[in-house]
Amino acid sequence: MRIEGSEQVEEAVSLAQQAEWQDITPIEQEEGEGSMCPIAYTDEYRELMGYLRAVMAVGEVSERALALTARVIEENPGHYTV
Protein backbone atom coordinates (compact mmCIF):
# COMPACT_ATOMS: atom_id res chain seq x y z
CA MET A 1 0.00 0.00 0.00
CA ARG A 2 1.20 3.54 -0.70
CA ILE A 3 -0.12 6.94 0.34
CA GLU A 4 -1.12 9.60 -2.22
CA GLY A 5 -2.26 12.85 -0.68
CA SER A 6 -4.64 11.83 2.07
CA GLU A 7 -5.67 8.57 0.37
CA GLN A 8 -4.32 5.08 0.87
CA VAL A 9 -3.92 3.36 -2.49
CA GLU A 10 -3.74 -0.43 -2.80
CA GLU A 11 -0.80 -1.66 -4.85
CA ALA A 12 -1.94 -3.95 -7.65
CA VAL A 13 -0.86 -7.57 -7.34
CA SER A 14 0.77 -8.92 -10.48
CA LEU A 15 -1.61 -11.00 -12.59
CA ALA A 16 1.09 -13.67 -12.87
CA GLN A 17 0.77 -14.13 -9.08
CA GLN A 18 -3.01 -14.51 -9.13
CA ALA A 19 -4.53 -18.00 -9.31
CA GLU A 20 -7.33 -16.96 -11.68
CA TRP A 21 -4.81 -16.00 -14.39
CA GLN A 22 -2.64 -19.15 -14.27
CA ASP A 23 -4.33 -20.58 -17.38
CA ILE A 24 -3.37 -17.57 -19.52
CA THR A 25 0.05 -16.96 -21.10
CA PRO A 26 0.54 -13.26 -21.78
CA ILE A 27 1.39 -12.21 -25.33
CA GLU A 28 4.25 -9.72 -25.40
CA GLN A 29 4.20 -6.74 -27.76
CA GLU A 30 6.69 -7.09 -30.57
CA GLU A 31 8.57 -3.83 -30.99
CA GLY A 32 10.67 -5.10 -33.90
CA GLU A 33 14.43 -4.88 -34.42
CA GLY A 34 15.80 -1.39 -34.26
CA SER A 35 12.44 0.18 -33.47
CA MET A 36 12.72 3.87 -34.23
CA CYS A 37 10.74 5.09 -31.24
CA PRO A 38 10.03 2.40 -28.61
CA ILE A 39 7.41 3.40 -26.08
CA ALA A 40 8.47 3.25 -22.42
CA TYR A 41 5.56 1.46 -20.76
CA THR A 42 5.51 0.79 -17.03
CA ASP A 43 6.00 -2.87 -16.07
CA GLU A 44 2.42 -3.00 -14.74
CA TYR A 45 0.95 -1.65 -17.99
CA ARG A 46 3.12 -3.97 -20.09
CA GLU A 47 1.84 -6.94 -18.05
CA LEU A 48 -1.81 -5.86 -18.29
CA MET A 49 -1.55 -5.46 -22.05
CA GLY A 50 0.12 -8.88 -22.40
CA TYR A 51 -2.81 -10.53 -20.65
CA LEU A 52 -5.32 -8.43 -22.60
CA ARG A 53 -3.75 -9.52 -25.90
CA ALA A 54 -3.94 -13.14 -24.73
CA VAL A 55 -7.64 -13.06 -23.77
CA MET A 56 -8.48 -11.21 -26.99
CA ALA A 57 -6.52 -13.76 -29.06
CA VAL A 58 -8.70 -16.61 -27.77
CA GLY A 59 -11.91 -14.57 -27.89
CA GLU A 60 -12.54 -14.85 -24.16
CA VAL A 61 -15.71 -13.10 -23.01
CA SER A 62 -15.87 -13.26 -19.21
CA GLU A 63 -16.06 -11.22 -16.04
CA ARG A 64 -12.28 -11.41 -15.62
CA ALA A 65 -11.72 -10.21 -19.20
CA LEU A 66 -14.10 -7.31 -18.56
CA ALA A 67 -12.30 -6.44 -15.30
CA LEU A 68 -8.94 -6.62 -17.09
CA THR A 69 -10.20 -4.33 -19.85
CA ALA A 70 -11.36 -1.83 -17.22
CA ARG A 71 -7.89 -1.89 -15.60
CA VAL A 72 -6.21 -1.25 -18.94
CA ILE A 73 -8.55 1.68 -19.59
CA GLU A 74 -7.80 3.08 -16.12
CA GLU A 75 -4.07 2.88 -16.83
CA ASN A 76 -4.39 4.49 -20.26
CA PRO A 77 -7.68 6.25 -21.05
CA GLY A 78 -6.56 6.50 -24.68
CA HIS A 79 -7.51 2.80 -24.96
CA TYR A 80 -11.22 3.46 -24.59
CA THR A 81 -11.71 1.81 -27.99
CA VAL A 82 -10.32 -1.61 -26.86
Side-chain angles (χ1 to χ4, degrees):
M1 180 180 313
R2 61 188 158 89
I3 306 293
E4 286 187 6
S6 61
E7 295 182 25
Q8 293 182 354
V9 179
E10 288 289 323
E11 292 289 335
V13 176
S14 170
L15 296 180
Q17 297 173 351
Q18 296 178 27
E20 79 172 306
W21 292 101
Q22 294 304 305
D23 62 319
I24 298 291
T25 301
I27 299 174
E28 300 296 324
Q29 178 173 334
E30 294 183 27
E31 295 279 340
E33 283 271 332
S35 184
M36 187 173 238
C37 185
I39 300 171
Y41 298 114
T42 64
D43 290 340
E44 179 181 7
Y45 185 74
R46 188 179 312 276
E47 179 188 44
L48 291 172
M49 285 302 300
Y51 279 90
L52 182 64
R53 282 187 210 92
V55 298
M56 290 176 73
V58 297
E60 180 175 327
V61 178
S62 65
E63 288 294 321
R64 73 176 182 173
L66 179 60
L68 175 60
T69 303
R71 282 187 64 191
V72 168
I73 292 169
E74 287 173 7
E75 291 295 318
N76 183 354
H79 275 188
Y80 62 89
T81 60
V82 169

